[in-house]
Amino acid sequence: MKSIKQLPKWSWVVLIVAVVAGVFIWHKNSADSNLIDNVKFSFSGYNESGTVVAVIPPEDEKKIAIMQLDYLRKKDFVDKSTAKTLKSLIEDANSINSVNTSTLTDSEKQILSTALNFKGGMLETKFSKSTNLHNGEKITYRWKVNNEDIPLKSGERTITVKGLKEPETLTAEKIKQKVKFKFYGLDGSGNIGIEKNEFGDADLKFSTANNGSLENGEKITIKVTTDSAQLKEAGYVFKGAHEFKLTVKDLADAKNVKNLDEAKKIVEKALADENKGRTTIEPTGKWYIGVDSSRDSYDFMSTPSDIKELTSRDLNSKRIIIGQIAKETHHYDEIVGGDDVEYEFVNYSFDLDLSDNTISVDSADEERTIDNVKLEGLEKTVGSDFSPLK
């Protein structure tokens, strides 16, 4: 047997070529089988609430799809010619999401779809944790290959979370400065709403006591309700007290309504119309004004203390009620028992344009009459919802 040194020169060339080819094939197969090493990771969001996604390079996705296609060919699920056509389409595309299928039959499209949809079936990918991440945290990314005939290896990588932005510290005072609140409506029955909120993504909730019955000069407490998870996702961390104070201002005064007398005349006419037959109506001159909450633009699901975002209608128009207490005497004969006296609050609602403090008389709509056998009792009932009007 000849020694290696005795081999002819042409044998050395063949040997070198064989070794190089073997190394190339081994390296190629090894590189393909360990494609998890090429996966890139993208971190987004804020520290303590970050997220991660894995991005398989388009060329690697195409390689894995072709592996799946080769497997289908090996198992005779697809003929050689079709496999060659589909393989060419995959190689020519920029990514597996842009393969041109316009020339394929329905059957070929189905085979191609099976090859392209390898994730979740043939290849399962999973993070040990993908949400609520913080910088410096170590997480694991795993591949599990469910088909032993595919030249792709299962594996895992440990990666370190990085690049997440630091959340902004949010305080009640900062909210007070950056959320634009607006007082609107009438003094004594005023509301507060939100014109502009720079923290919209944080989904902050605001409330205050007696919204809907505010008066100028009153100091109110605004309470802030937060959801810690939502805050983190929006990039905020709340610190300190969840409330601050504001002074009520800019509410319109009912006595400044330009055509208030026109509204009063409608109420007086209604009283006069009842003053006939066996009924005597005596106006007391006790006028009241208030907001018609049943026709206001509140969301019916909200509570009276909610501070809502405003619409142009909220700021420029209001449905108000104007009414007067009157004494109503029903005259009966002696057999029935004489006169019957009670007091009633006769009232109408109107549209009030707050931009010029003018009531739309044409919008008058008679409301339910409130009554009581005693004047004091009726005044107490009406006074709980309406403000005295002189």
Side-chain angles (χ1 to χ4, degrees):
M1 181 177 179
K2 293 182 180 181
S3 66
I4 293 179
K5 292 182 179 180
Q6 293 176 317
L7 291 175
K9 290 183 178 180
W10 63 267
S11 298
W12 278 97
V13 174
V14 172
L15 180 61
I16 292 172
V17 170
V19 170
V20 169
V23 170
F24 175 78
I25 293 171
W26 173 84
H27 177 74
K28 181 179 184 301
N29 289 339
S30 176
D32 285 350
S33 65
N34 290 289
L35 293 182
I36 188 175
D37 295 336
N38 298 337
V39 176
K40 305 296 182 183
F41 302 98
S42 176
F43 298 98
S44 60
Y46 298 88
N47 199 15
E48 304 293 343
S49 61
T51 59
V52 62
V53 293
V55 181
I56 303 175
E59 286 302 314
D60 287 354
E61 286 190 317
K62 288 160 61 176
K63 288 179 182 178
I64 300 173
I66 289 173
M67 290 179 191
Q68 180 86 325
L69 186 60
D70 288 341
Y71 168 76
L72 295 175
R73 172 71 190 99
K74 180 180 178 181
K75 295 297 183 179
D76 292 329
F77 291 122
V78 56
D79 61 78
K80 184 176 180 181
S81 176
T82 300
K84 183 178 180 180
T85 299
L86 298 181
K87 182 177 180 180
S88 178
L89 289 176
I90 294 174
E91 291 174 336
D92 291 342
N94 291 326
S95 70
I96 63 172
N97 297 317
S98 60
V99 178
N100 183 7
T101 62
S102 60
T103 61
L104 301 179
T105 65
D106 289 343
S107 176
E108 290 170 335
K109 288 179 181 178
Q110 182 62 45
I111 295 170
L112 178 63
S113 176
T114 301
L116 298 179
N117 296 328
F118 55 83
K119 286 184 285 188
M122 180 264 287
L123 174 63
E124 295 182 25
T125 64
K126 184 178 181 181
F127 284 102
S128 59
K129 182 182 178 183
S130 60
T131 59
N132 295 322
L133 304 176
H134 60 80
N135 287 325
E137 181 177 6
K138 292 187 182 299
I139 59 176
T140 302
Y141 176 68
R142 297 183 177 89
W143 273 19
K144 181 182 178 184
V145 180
N146 295 320
N147 191 335
E148 295 180 354
D149 293 324
I150 299 292
L152 186 67
K153 289 184 178 180
S154 297
E156 68 176 44
R157 288 175 59 185
T158 298
I159 53 178
T160 302
V161 179
K162 60 183 179 179
L164 298 177
K165 296 178 287 187
E166 289 300 323
E168 179 181 347
T169 298
L170 199 59
T171 64
E173 190 60 32
K174 187 176 289 187
I175 292 174
K176 181 180 178 180
Q177 294 171 0
K178 291 192 174 183
V179 176
K180 187 175 182 181
F181 294 94
K182 175 74 176 180
F183 294 102
Y184 64 101
L186 296 173
D187 187 13
S189 58
N191 293 81
I192 181 173
I194 300 171
E195 275 193 303
K196 184 178 181 181
N197 182 3
E198 295 185 16
F199 305 107
D201 292 342
D203 194 28
L204 302 174
K205 305 293 185 184
F206 301 96
S207 63
T208 188
N210 304 318
N211 197 15
S213 58
L214 304 179
E215 57 184 46
N216 287 326
E218 178 183 2
K219 291 188 181 297
I220 60 174
T221 298
I222 308 296
K223 293 186 177 181
V224 187
T225 304
T226 63
D227 181 291
S228 58
Q230 177 66 30
L231 275 177
K232 284 183 178 180
E233 289 182 10
Y236 301 103
V237 175
F238 202 104
K239 291 187 178 180
H242 281 53
E243 62 181 43
F244 55 89
K245 293 186 179 298
L246 290 177
T247 301
V248 181
K249 60 181 181 179
D250 302 328
L251 298 176
D253 195 326
K255 67 177 181 293
N256 293 327
V257 174
K258 295 178 180 178
N259 57 341
L260 190 59
D261 287 342
E262 293 181 53
K264 286 184 174 182
K265 287 179 182 178
I266 292 176
V267 177
E268 289 170 340
K269 183 179 184 304
L271 290 172
D273 289 344
E274 291 186 38
N275 191 12
K276 57 187 177 181
R278 292 180 174 272
T279 301
T280 301
I281 301 295
E282 301 175 68
T284 64
K286 296 180 181 292
W287 289 91
Y288 290 85
I289 189 169
V291 176
D292 184 356
S293 58
S294 65
R295 309 205 181 182
D296 200 6
S297 54
Y298 276 115
D299 184 329
F300 73 94
M301 294 296 289
S302 68
T303 61
S305 62
D306 286 346
I307 298 176
K308 57 179 182 148
E309 293 187 9
L310 300 174
T311 66
S312 58
R313 172 174 170 78
D314 294 321
L315 294 174
N316 298 321
S317 180
K318 206 69 179 172
R319 189 78 179 175
I320 65 171
I321 294 177
I322 295 174
Q324 181 184 188
I325 291 178
K327 180 181 179 181
E328 184 180 60
T329 304
H330 301 286
H331 303 286
Y332 301 108
D333 54 37
E334 293 182 358
I335 297 176
V336 175
D339 296 340
D340 183 13
V341 177
E342 65 178 351
Y343 292 86
E344 62 177 355
F345 177 58
V346 178
N347 55 95
Y348 278 74
S349 64
F350 303 86
D351 283 332
L352 171 63
D353 187 341
L354 293 171
S355 63
D356 64 359
N357 280 345
T358 301
I359 291 173
S360 172
V361 179
D362 292 338
S363 67
D365 191 5
E366 187 173 9
E367 297 297 313
R368 179 178 63 86
T369 298
I370 303 172
D371 52 39
N372 197 302
V373 294
K374 293 185 178 181
L375 178 59
E376 295 82 1
L378 183 57
E379 288 179 326
K380 183 177 181 180
T381 300
V382 175
S384 64
D385 295 318
F386 301 91
S387 300
L389 180 62
K390 294 182 180 180

